C-alpha cells in the first residue's frame, strides 16, 4: 500500500498546454508539499499545505496553482507550460504537530515539455 | 537566503571503507537536520534525522551535528556498492519547509 502516491509518473506535453499532477497520502499526515527537482538534482520547495490551507508559497510563477481538496490530497495544475518547466515534481507529506520526523516522498512525476 | 551547502562530489570510496559526507547550513535558527538517500530515477528516502549536538548512530550510519559550527555530517561505515547514490542534506526550522542541499554523489567500488 503506497504511502504517498503521485499520478502520472511520466508526462510529455507540448509548450503552451495545461496539465495536472495528482498526489494522495494515506499516512494521516496533516501537511503536504510540492517540490521541484531540476536536472542538477536540486530539490526546491514550491508549495506547502497544512490541513487544506496554503502555508508556504515560494517564488513560483502564477502559472502553477496548487489545490488541496482535503488533507490527504494535493494537486498541482500548470498552465501554459514552458520548456523550463521540465523537471521531476515530487509530492511529500509530514506531520507538523509533534516531533519532526522528516518527510515521506512520492515516487515523482517526470514532466517533459517539448 | 537560507542555504544548505554540500560538496557535489563524486566521492569515491572502496568497498568496506568509511564514507564521510558533509553539510553546512546558513540559518542558525535551524532546528532539525536530515539525511536523505536518492538513487538515480527514484525518490528521496529518509536515512536519519538528528536534533541535538553530538552523534546519533543507526546501524552502519552515524549522523553528527555541531550547531556552533553549523555543520552536520553523515558517516557510512563498511560502505557497500549498494550505498552508491546521491545523499541529500536537509534542514528546517519550525513552521518552514525542509531546505535541501544539492546533494553529494557517492560511488562505492567493489
Amino acid at each position: 500500500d503506497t504511502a504517498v502516491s503521485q499520478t502520472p509518473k511520466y508526462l510529455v506535453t507540448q509548450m503552451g498546454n495545461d496539465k495536472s499532477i495528482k498526489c494522495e497520502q494515506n499516512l494521516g499526515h496533516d501537511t503536504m508539499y510540492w517540490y521541484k527537482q531540476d536536472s542538477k538534482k536540486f530539490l526546491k520547495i514550491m508549495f506547502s499545505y497544512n490541513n487544506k490551507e496554503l502555508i508556504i508559497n515560494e517564488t513560483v510563477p502564477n502559472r502553477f496553482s496548487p489545490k488541496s481538496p482535503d488533507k490527504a490530497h494535493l494537486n498541482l495544475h500548470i498552465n501554459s507550460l514552458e520548456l523550463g518547466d521540465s523537471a521531476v515534481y515530487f509530492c511529500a507529506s509530514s506531520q507538523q504537530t509533534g516531533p519532526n520526523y522528516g518527510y515521506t516522498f512520492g515516487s515523482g512525476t517526470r514532466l517533459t515539455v517539448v | 537566503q537560507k542555504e544548505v551547502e554540500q560538496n557535489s562530489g563524486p566521492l569515491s570510496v572502496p568497498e568496506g571503507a568509511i564514507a564521510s559526507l558533509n553539510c553546512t547550513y546558513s540559518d542558525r535558527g535551524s532546528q532539525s537536520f536530515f539525511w536523505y538517500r536518492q538513487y538515480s530515477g527514484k525518490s528521496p528516502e529518509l536515512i536519519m534525522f538528528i536534533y541535538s549536538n553530538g552523534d546519533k548512530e543507526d546501524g552502519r550510519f552515524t549522523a553528527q551535528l555541531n550547531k556552533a559550527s553549523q555543520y552536520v555530517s553523515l558517516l557510512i561505515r563498511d560502505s557497500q556498492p549498494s550505498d552508491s547514490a546521491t545523499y541529500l542534506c536537509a534542514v528546517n526550522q519550525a513552521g518552514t519547509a525542509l531546505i535541501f542541499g544539492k546533494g553529494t554523489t557517492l560511488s562505492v567500488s567493489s
Side-chain angles (χ1 to χ4, degrees):
Chain A
D1 210 18
T2 306
V4 182
S5 58
Q6 287 180 238
T7 55
K9 193 169 175 63
Y10 300 97
L11 193 50
V12 181
T13 187
Q14 291 188 325
M15 280 175 49
N17 283 351
D18 302 339
K19 290 293 178 185
S20 293
I21 306 171
K22 296 186 176 184
C23 180
E24 176 182 1
Q25 57 96 1
N26 63 7
L27 297 168
H29 287 165
D30 56 14
T31 306
M32 297 183 72
Y33 311 84
W34 281 112
Y35 277 84
K36 179 181 180 180
Q37 188 169 47
D38 61 24
S39 57
K40 296 184 179 179
K41 304 291 189 184
F42 183 42
L43 261 175
K44 190 170 181 184
I45 182 69
M46 299 174 69
F47 302 104
S48 174
Y49 271 76
N50 180 270
N51 277 323
K52 304 190 295 177
E53 288 196 28
L54 181 66
I55 56 171
I56 293 174
N57 183 352
E58 291 294 314
T59 309
V60 176
N62 57 15
R63 298 182 294 104
F64 290 78
S65 51
K67 195 163 286 187
S68 181
D70 56 60
K71 75 172 192 177
H73 295 85
L74 179 62
N75 303 323
L76 183 65
H77 188 75
I78 315 170
N79 290 323
S80 303
L81 278 155
E82 300 177 357
L83 292 177
D85 298 332
S86 296
V88 180
Y89 292 84
F90 285 102
C91 176
S93 70
S94 72
Q95 190 62 29
Q96 283 295 86
T97 54
N100 185 349
Y101 294 129
Y103 298 179
T104 302
F105 283 84
S107 57
T109 296
R110 182 174 294 277
L111 172 65
T112 304
V113 183
V114 297
Chain B
Q1 181 75 12
K2 300 171 187 174
E3 291 184 346
V4 177
E5 299 286 343
Q6 293 182 255
N7 187 329
S8 61
L11 173 65
S12 298
V13 301
E15 184 174 358
I18 296 175
S20 177
L21 303 154
N22 304 315
C23 172
T24 58
Y25 58 95
S26 62
D27 189 346
R28 284 197 171 274
S30 298
Q31 298 175 333
S32 311
F33 306 87
F34 302 85
W35 283 100
Y36 283 81
R37 177 176 63 199
Q38 187 174 25
Y39 293 112
S40 182
K42 300 294 185 182
S43 59
E45 170 194 13
L46 181 65
I47 300 175
M48 293 195 68
F49 60 87
I50 186 167
Y51 302 145
S52 305
N53 278 329
D55 295 0
K56 180 181 178 183
E57 188 174 316
D58 184 359
R60 296 187 296 113
F61 299 96
T62 298
Q64 299 174 315
L65 175 61
N66 183 326
K67 288 187 178 181
S69 300
Q70 295 175 243
Y71 176 91
V72 58
S73 65
L74 179 70
L75 300 178
I76 306 175
R77 289 181 299 281
D78 187 25
S79 295
Q80 301 297 310
S82 58
D83 294 326
S84 298
T86 297
Y87 289 80
L88 303 168
C89 174
V91 305
N92 81 333
Q93 296 180 328
T96 67
L98 280 183
I99 298 172
F100 285 82
K102 294 186 178 182
T104 298
T105 301
L106 172 67
S107 177
V108 181
S109 55
S110 56

